[in-house]
């Protein structure tokens, strides 16, 4: 017997779950690096523009499409088939595969975070050469046990369902994460020399606005930062009642996501400057530079433990959102219980990811294919179909349903003429620049 479709219990639980999906590891280290590298305060100008045109419009559209169908991504394939779209069944699996791929490598990095948290709890981290420590660990078989730990944690949460799993998790960990971030910001800003880090983040370098790369990186950050994929938030939307105000919920999600990114920046960059470290992109900032900073701070062991706990919160909330997409699809396709689908899907993706544990070159290539190419492709397939084929009045009415502000026509027009071509441009830029998110 098919399980009754679950629902979020209230708007707060839904918003916190969306925030949890949006705030991930990329928010923690990429945003602060981009903010400093591509114009400081000036970078925020194109970023906020693109948040409105891409994050805000894309999330409203993705969530409202899910609520309209009361189904996940495979429901899109059914609608495409009714509209005689060629290869509709294949197209509907593209977003499922892309988000499954993201989970496959993301949960490996999540495992690294868990390892660092445990190490801070149990080991004297001050005497470690962090560059050697990380390089000897990542890409080796010793990371597999932590990968498995992260995967099991994600599977367990998903197996409990929407209310008891996803919603309950985010109601607890999202407020805790923000509390930890705020406390760490005060500590970071109190360090001698931290003012240079604040200047690095906020003093605008206006000349960089004339460079296309600044706008390109702001575009990528705005698109990728909130988890747009044509599937992940669509599934969450399918668990909503009609009385939920989607535009207001998305507005709060975008605000909280940006606040989290800014808070992370004001933790990382001032602390790095205070101890003579220069910020850098990628894993080195989180796993090498920051631990080295903590090792030179009074109470660094405690601060490092608390910091990596907050990163666990950010990582698990995003991982759970990613895993929910293929789990929901398999439940729908094969009429499986949630627990069975969670175990089967989680185990398969874990096994696929094991070779990535021991080969960082393979890890990088796999991550690029999924994040740079597959994610935008899935988003343009699903949301492009929503904007151009579902029907103008139907889309507008669904967006406006339960909302105080009737902005459905605005969202649809921006979706058609800015968002959809913009995502195609993001896909093209991915081929030209590599990852821009």
């Amino acid at each position: 017997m098919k399980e009754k479709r679950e629902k979020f219990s209230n708007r707060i639980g839904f918003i916190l779950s969306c925030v949890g999906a949006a705030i991930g590891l990329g928010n923690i280290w990429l945003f602060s690096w981009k903010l400093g590298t591509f114009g400081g305060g000036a970078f925020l100008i194109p970023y906020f523009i693109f948040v409105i045109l891409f994050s805000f419009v894309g999330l409203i559209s993705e969530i409202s499409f899910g609520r309209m169908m009361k189904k996940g991504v495979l429901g899109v394939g059914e609608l495409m088939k009714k509209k005689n779209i060629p290869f509709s069944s294949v197209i509907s699996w593209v977003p499922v595969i892309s988000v499954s791929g993201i989970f496959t490598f993301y949960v490996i990095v999540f495992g690294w975070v868990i390892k660092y948290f445990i190490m801070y709890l149990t080991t004297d981290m001050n005497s470690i050469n962090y560059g050697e420590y990380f390089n000897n660990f990542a890409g080796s078989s010793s990371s597999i046990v932590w990968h498995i730990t992260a995967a099991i944690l994600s599977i367990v949460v998903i197996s409990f369902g929407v209310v008891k799993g996803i919603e309950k998790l985010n109601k607890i960990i999202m407020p805790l994460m923000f509390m930890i971030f705020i406390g760490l910001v005060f500590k970071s800003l109190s360090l001698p020399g931290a003012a240079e880090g604040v200047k690095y983040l906020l003093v605008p370098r206006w000349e960089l606005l004339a460079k296309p790369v600044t706008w390109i990186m702001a575009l990528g950050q705005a698109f990728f930062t909130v988890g747009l994929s044509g599937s992940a938030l669509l599934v969450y939307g399918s668990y909503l009642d009609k009385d939920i105000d989607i535009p207001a919920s998305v507005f709060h999600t975008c605000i909280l996501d940006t606040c989290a990114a800014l808070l992370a920046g004001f933790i990382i960059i001032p602390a790095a400057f205070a101890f003579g470290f220069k910020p850098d992109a990628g894993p080195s900032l989180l796993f090498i530079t920051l631990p080295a900073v903590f090792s030179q701070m009074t109470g660094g062991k405690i601060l490092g433990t608390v910091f990596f706990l907050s990163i666990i919160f950010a990582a698990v909330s995003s991982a759970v959102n990613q895993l929910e997409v293929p789990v929901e699809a398999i439940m729908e396709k094969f009429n499986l219980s949630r627990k069975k689908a969670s175990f089967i899907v989680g185990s398969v993706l874990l096994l696929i990811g094991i070779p990535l544990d021991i080969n960082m070159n393979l890890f990088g290539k796999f991550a690029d294919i999924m994040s740079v190419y597959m994610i935008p492709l899935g988003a343009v397939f699903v949301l492009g179909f929503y904007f151009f084929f579902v029907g103008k009045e139907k889309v507008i009415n669904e967006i406006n349903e339960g909302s105080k502000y009737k902005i459905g026509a605005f969202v649809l027009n921006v979706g058609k003429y800015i968002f959809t071509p913009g995502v195609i441009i993001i896909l093209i830029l991915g081929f030209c620049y590599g990852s821009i998110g």
Side-chain angles (χ1 to χ4, degrees):
M1 183 178 177
K2 193 171 183 177
E3 292 184 357
K4 183 180 178 181
R5 192 161 194 86
E6 300 167 271
K7 294 180 181 180
F8 284 104
S9 63
N10 54 50
R11 180 169 172 258
I12 296 298
F14 168 65
I15 291 174
L16 289 175
S17 296
C18 289
V19 171
I23 298 172
L25 295 172
N27 268 60
I28 304 304
W29 74 71
L30 282 182
F31 182 85
S32 55
W33 169 74
K34 285 185 177 182
L35 184 59
T37 303
F38 300 104
F43 176 82
L44 293 175
I45 296 172
Y47 174 73
F48 286 136
I49 291 172
F50 291 134
V51 163
I52 294 171
L53 298 178
F54 286 86
S55 303
F56 184 66
V57 168
L59 284 182
I60 289 174
S61 305
E62 193 168 318
I63 292 167
S64 64
F65 196 10
R67 187 175 70 175
M68 174 192 291
M69 297 186 298
K70 291 297 179 188
K71 288 184 177 181
V73 189
L74 298 189
V76 179
E78 295 172 8
L79 289 180
M80 287 181 171
K81 190 173 183 180
K82 291 178 182 178
K83 298 285 185 177
N84 296 316
I85 303 294
F87 308 108
S88 55
S89 297
V90 175
I91 289 172
S92 65
W93 279 99
V94 170
V96 178
I97 293 169
S98 67
V99 177
S100 299
I102 295 293
F103 174 83
T104 300
F105 74 82
Y106 186 92
V107 79
I108 295 173
V109 184
F110 179 16
W112 299 346
V113 174
I114 295 173
K115 176 179 173 61
Y116 268 66
F117 172 68
I118 298 298
M119 291 299 289
Y120 266 100
L121 280 178
T122 61
T123 306
D124 179 11
M125 298 288 281
N126 292 341
S127 59
I128 291 174
N129 182 314
Y130 295 100
E132 291 182 5
Y133 182 79
F134 177 74
N135 291 329
N136 290 335
F137 167 73
S140 73
S141 59
S142 60
S143 70
I144 293 175
V145 65
W146 302 103
H147 175 192
I148 294 171
T149 303
I152 290 173
L153 181 56
S154 304
I155 292 168
V156 169
V157 173
I158 282 294
S159 71
F160 279 107
V162 174
V163 174
K164 293 181 179 179
I166 298 170
E167 185 177 327
K168 188 172 183 179
L169 172 78
N170 284 290
K171 278 184 173 179
I172 295 170
I173 67 173
M174 282 299 104
L176 283 174
M177 189 198 73
F178 274 97
M179 289 170 62
I180 292 172
F181 273 14
I182 291 169
L184 288 171
V185 165
F186 280 109
K187 175 62 179 177
S188 182
L189 296 181
S190 70
L191 297 169
E196 284 301 310
V198 175
K199 180 180 178 181
Y200 178 85
L201 285 172
L202 294 184
V203 173
R205 277 161 279 166
W206 300 110
E207 69 278 6
L208 292 183
L209 281 178
K211 294 187 175 183
V213 69
T214 300
W215 294 79
I216 289 168
M217 291 300 169
L219 171 61
Q221 186 68 27
F223 176 81
F224 289 102
T225 187
V226 293
L228 281 170
S229 62
S231 56
L233 276 300
L234 183 145
V235 173
Y236 278 12
S238 73
Y239 301 136
L240 285 182
D241 283 325
K242 292 290 187 180
D243 60 345
I244 297 293
D245 186 335
I246 292 177
S249 300
V250 169
F251 175 78
H252 289 112
T253 298
C254 291
I255 292 293
L256 290 171
D257 176 72
T258 300
C259 286
L262 287 170
L263 286 171
F266 278 94
I267 295 167
I268 296 169
I269 304 303
F273 270 85
F275 291 98
F277 293 94
K278 294 295 184 181
D280 196 3
S284 62
L285 181 60
L286 190 62
F287 295 105
I288 299 175
T289 303
L290 272 177
V293 168
F294 289 135
S295 71
Q296 298 183 39
M297 295 170 66
T298 302
K301 180 179 175 67
I302 296 173
L303 291 171
T305 303
V306 172
F307 176 77
F308 278 100
L309 177 62
S310 69
I311 305 304
I312 287 176
F313 292 161
V316 68
S317 58
S318 292
V320 162
N321 174 252
Q322 295 155 10
L323 184 56
E324 176 65 10
V325 173
V327 167
E328 188 277 339
I330 294 302
M331 288 169 62
E332 184 72 21
K333 179 70 175 178
F334 298 104
N335 195 22
L336 294 177
S337 69
R338 173 170 284 276
K339 285 187 172 13
K340 285 183 180 178
S342 300
F343 176 77
I344 292 170
V345 172
S347 299
V348 169
L349 296 181
L350 171 61
L351 291 173
I352 292 173
I354 295 296
L356 307 182
D357 276 304
I358 55 179
N359 188 327
M360 291 304 293
N361 288 330
L362 182 61
F363 177 100
K365 290 176 182 178
F366 183 87
D368 283 346
I369 290 171
M370 292 300 164
S371 58
V372 179
Y373 310 123
M374 292 294 289
I375 286 291
L377 190 64
V380 79
F381 279 160
V382 171
L383 294 178
F385 175 77
Y386 187 49
F387 296 136
F388 288 98
F389 291 94
V390 171
K392 178 179 178 180
E393 294 303 319
K394 196 171 183 181
V395 171
I396 292 174
N397 290 338
E398 185 60 45
I399 292 170
N400 289 339
E401 185 78 40
S403 177
K404 182 179 179 182
Y405 301 101
K406 309 303 180 184
I407 62 170
F410 166 79
V411 172
L412 179 59
N413 286 326
V414 173
K416 277 186 172 181
Y417 305 115
I418 297 178
F419 180 90
T420 302
V423 177
I424 295 172
I425 290 171
I426 288 171
L427 188 57
I428 295 170
L429 290 171
F431 281 98
C432 298
Y433 284 85
S435 177
I436 64 170

